[in-house]
Amino acid sequence: MKITYLGHSAVKVEVSNKIIYIDPFLSGNPKAPITADQITSADIIIITHDHGDHLGDAFSIAKRTNAWIVSQYEITVLANENGIQKVEPMNIGGPISVEGIKIALTPAWHTSQTGGPTGVIVQALGKTLYHAGDTGLFSDMKLIGELYKPDIALLPIGGRFTMDIYQAVKAVEFIRPKYVIPIHYNTFDLIKADPEEFKKLVGNLSQVVILEPGETFNY
């Protein structure tokens, strides 16, 4: 499993010969290392919720690459209304399989305009990734850890709209992933945070991998 950080909460995941984008906010993202137009190949695009910094360029990328849009039901309806037919509607609950990739949506404590916010579990080749989306801390993260046993967790640390560093440390304690990658910080002044402080506070709970936009982690 190869994870490339694209700034903010946007990531590219390559696994089982498939290319997956999660929350591809690139246009208007000052940290993005690429433009949306540079993405010419994608199999699956997962959207955690419809805020502009997460929905981002998902629809334009899907139209150009013929990728599947995977999200909660209301967002897939919105995708249909925008001319996208390859959609996989789902909701918080049981997983589905898309292009051989198992995907499940998890709760997230946040807001949205269309439907409800989610996190997402991605499983393939015996590896599990948890992208928390935008969320505050909640105790049922323990259940996510127990049920899915994520190898890698991508957790927001920027505060104000999501968990801050201290809450994200507690989330690591709840989830117990092997690796944790901080996201959703330092894109804008309102969500400034020091990932090195986060890494120090996590200590031995998990191995923190700090990625600059454009950098890749191979697992």
Side-chain angles (χ1 to χ4, degrees):
M1 184 175 281
K2 181 178 178 182
I3 301 164
T4 303
Y5 185 44
L6 301 178
H8 203 57
S9 293
V11 295
K12 177 184 180 182
V13 180
E14 297 169 85
V15 63
S16 193
N17 295 317
K18 301 299 179 183
I19 298 174
I20 305 161
Y21 286 91
I22 304 175
D23 288 354
F25 166 52
L26 302 171
S27 301
N29 177 356
K31 299 291 186 179
I34 61 172
T35 64
D37 290 343
Q38 290 177 291
I39 297 177
T40 57
S41 180
D43 297 292
I44 301 168
I45 301 170
I46 303 170
I47 305 163
T48 64
H49 64 295
D50 74 341
H51 285 168
D53 59 332
H54 292 262
L55 177 61
D57 301 282
F59 291 169
S60 65
I61 295 170
K63 290 177 181 177
R64 186 167 57 254
T65 63
N66 200 34
W68 287 95
I69 290 285
V70 180
S71 191
Q72 49 92 356
Y73 174 77
E74 286 80 4
I75 289 180
T76 62
V77 170
L78 186 62
N80 282 160
E81 292 171 353
N82 278 267
I84 299 167
Q85 299 304 313
K86 286 183 66 175
V87 301
E88 283 285 0
M90 57 186 308
N91 218 310
I92 295 167
I96 65 171
S97 181
V98 183
E99 299 282 346
I101 308 297
K102 185 180 284 188
I103 300 169
L105 297 183
T106 66
W109 281 99
H110 194 58
T111 59
S112 61
Q113 293 174 308
T114 303
T118 69
V120 64
I121 296 288
V122 176
Q123 294 178 312
L125 300 179
K127 299 174 174 65
T128 299
L129 176 146
Y130 169 48
H131 187 302
D134 274 2
T135 189
L137 179 68
F138 57 99
S139 61
D140 279 354
M141 285 180 172
K142 292 180 181 179
L143 293 179
I144 293 172
E146 291 174 10
L147 185 61
Y148 296 106
K149 297 178 174 56
D151 299 293
I152 305 162
L154 285 77
L155 301 180
I157 67 167
R160 183 175 286 256
F161 302 109
T162 68
M163 295 184 290
D164 62 13
I165 285 173
Y166 305 100
Q167 294 165 346
V169 171
K170 178 59 71 172
V172 173
E173 182 181 325
F174 286 164
I175 301 162
R176 297 294 176 131
K178 296 175 184 175
Y179 299 91
V180 59
I181 300 173
I183 59 173
H184 204 277
Y185 69 97
N186 290 351
T187 320
F188 309 105
D189 287 344
L190 288 175
I191 54 171
K192 282 187 175 181
D194 182 358
E196 293 293 344
E197 182 183 3
F198 174 66
K199 182 175 183 177
K200 179 180 178 181
L201 292 173
V202 168
N204 294 325
L205 287 173
S206 179
Q207 185 169 333
V208 176
V209 178
I210 299 171
L211 297 178
E212 291 296 324
E215 290 186 339
T216 294
F217 172 63
N218 288 288
Y219 175 69

